[in-house]
Amino acid sequence: MARLSSARYGKDNVRVYKVDRDEASGTHTVTEMTVCVLLEGAIDASYTDADNGPVVATDSMKNTIYIKAKEHPVNPPELYAAILGQHFLDTYAHVSVANVDVKAKRWTRMVIDGKPHPHSFYRDGEDTRNVTARVSRDAGREIEISSGVAGLLVLKSTGSQFHGFVRDEFTTLPETWDRILSTDVDATWRWKPFPSLQALRDSVDVFDKAWDDARAITMKTFAEEDSPSVQNTMYKMCEKILDAAPATESVSYALPNKHYFEIDLSWHKGTKNTGKDAEVYAPQSGPNGLIKCEVSRS
Ligand SMILES: O=c1[nH]c(=O)c2[nH]c(=O)[nH]c2[nH]1
């Protein structure tokens, strides 16, 4: 005997661009994002009995993503994700949960001859602003939002150490008091649940501030700290974001440790290129460390 133990379905990789034109100043603001919507609810019969009666076509979900982007603001992405998710619950009685993911790319305004340009932008980083919204009929936690930054590639050429770790018959890594540290930041902060779309609207300003603060805290801590380990540095980042964004419940990071290996060049005329003489390194594609944590309020 088999049974359907969980199911959700929807449209992924819906790419949307929206321009906001301020007629008075002639200034445009642009947003480019990729949206995913997955619905849950009384949809089992579509899997088990080939009954498409409860199926809202994924093509209709794609259309809805465009229409809601036209009708409503797409910024902050937390608000757009919540509005979109709420629409599916309000419209289809058999839908119990709408999961909405938004990933927004960077389009930063150009500064030309010292002046912000009204309609020209550039990609000043590959990091994305990510939001996941779970909109449900669960009393008291109708809208659950996580926000984050991903793909923020950083490197420091000193100011990182790693020593005092387990040494046994499997250990070859030397201790170091000065190493290169590089990672691809994936940080997420989870908000206390919102009981309604109105409650989320009432505190809508927290989202942009948290994103600015989290990105700044991540870079400042990374740059300024003499890091004893990825683990300790990411824990400090989490603590600071929890302080900066009081309406969050927890903060998590997933950080690859992207290794740069020293190269012994002594075979060439006795060239010194290790330890304090190291200048030329071999960046590694893999393997890499992967360090994760979640820090919650106690
Ligand atoms: O910051 C680090 N944490 C580790 O757990 C680890 N393990 C390792 O080999 N290098 C590092 N660096």
Side-chain angles (χ1 to χ4, degrees):
M1 260 297 270
R3 78 183 172 88
L4 185 69
S5 38
S6 108
R8 60 178 70 180
Y9 80 105
K11 206 64 143 187
D12 194 9
N13 292 310
V14 182
R15 294 186 59 182
V16 183
Y17 163 93
K18 184 175 186 185
V19 59
D20 178 56
R21 299 187 187 89
D22 185 76
E23 299 299 344
S25 66
T27 302
H28 294 184
T29 302
V30 300
T31 303
E32 183 168 340
M33 59 188 180
T34 303
V35 182
C36 174
V37 171
L38 299 177
L39 300 182
E40 300 171 48
I43 55 174
D44 290 11
S46 67
Y47 293 82
T48 56
D49 300 326
D51 174 3
N52 287 338
V55 175
V56 178
T58 69
D59 191 65
S60 311
M61 294 186 204
K62 173 208 64 186
N63 292 340
T64 308
I65 289 167
Y66 295 141
I67 295 292
K68 293 296 148 186
K70 176 72 179 172
E71 291 176 346
H72 298 276
V74 293
N75 285 300
E78 288 87 350
L79 175 61
Y80 173 70
I83 290 171
L84 182 60
Q86 189 66 52
H87 164 87
F88 289 104
L89 266 71
D90 291 347
T91 309
Y92 307 106
H94 69 292
V95 170
S96 54
V97 181
N99 301 283
V100 179
D101 287 358
V102 176
K103 291 184 171 59
K105 294 178 190 287
R106 294 179 70 77
W107 280 127
T108 299
R109 189 175 301 285
M110 286 187 190
V111 176
I112 304 295
D113 296 334
K115 283 189 291 207
H117 196 271
H119 61 246
S120 295
F121 307 86
Y122 69 109
R123 179 70 37 85
D124 68 341
E126 289 303 321
D127 58 304
T128 53
R129 178 171 173 175
N130 297 351
V131 170
T132 68
R134 180 182 187 276
V135 184
S136 75
R137 302 185 195 279
D138 301 347
R141 44 191 323 117
E142 280 82 352
I143 304 183
E144 295 178 313
I145 301 273
S146 290
S147 309
V149 55
L152 180 64
L153 186 56
V154 292
L155 177 147
K156 65 193 298 186
S157 51
T158 187
S160 168
Q161 315 182 14
F162 188 58
H163 44 84
F165 50 88
V166 174
R167 297 211 79 78
D168 59 15
E169 68 271 33
F170 297 102
T171 312
T172 54
L173 184 74
E175 296 186 298
T176 180
W177 281 259
D178 184 6
R179 65 174 180 174
I180 295 167
L181 183 60
S182 177
T183 189
D184 207 348
V185 175
D186 180 350
T188 305
W189 45 101
R190 189 158 49 82
W191 299 91
K192 292 172 188 161
F194 297 91
S196 66
L197 189 52
Q198 190 53 51
L200 185 144
R201 284 185 193 281
D202 290 345
S203 49
V204 75
D205 292 342
V206 298
F207 298 118
D208 281 352
K209 180 177 182 310
W211 186 75
D212 283 340
D213 287 347
R215 211 164 168 274
I217 286 167
T218 298
M219 289 204 264
K220 187 174 163 66
T221 310
F222 180 82
E224 291 185 350
E225 201 210 15
D226 194 0
S227 169
S229 64
V230 174
Q231 283 89 332
N232 185 247
T233 297
M234 73 206 294
Y235 182 77
K236 286 177 183 148
M237 291 171 178
C238 291
E239 282 185 314
K240 289 178 192 175
I241 294 174
L242 283 171
D243 278 353
T248 56
E249 272 185 341
S250 67
V251 179
S252 56
Y253 274 81
L255 298 181
N257 190 2
K258 299 170 82 73
H259 305 302
Y260 286 70
F261 286 175
E262 286 189 6
I263 313 169
D264 183 351
L265 298 179
S266 60
W267 53 269
H268 182 75
K269 302 177 190 169
T271 305
K272 293 183 174 162
N273 192 55
T274 55
K276 66 176 180 16
D277 298 311
E279 291 176 296
V280 176
Y281 294 79
Q284 303 296 297
S285 315
N288 57 269
L290 179 59
I291 321 275
K292 298 185 177 195
C293 74
E294 180 176 22
V295 180
S296 308
R297 292 182 195 283
S298 45

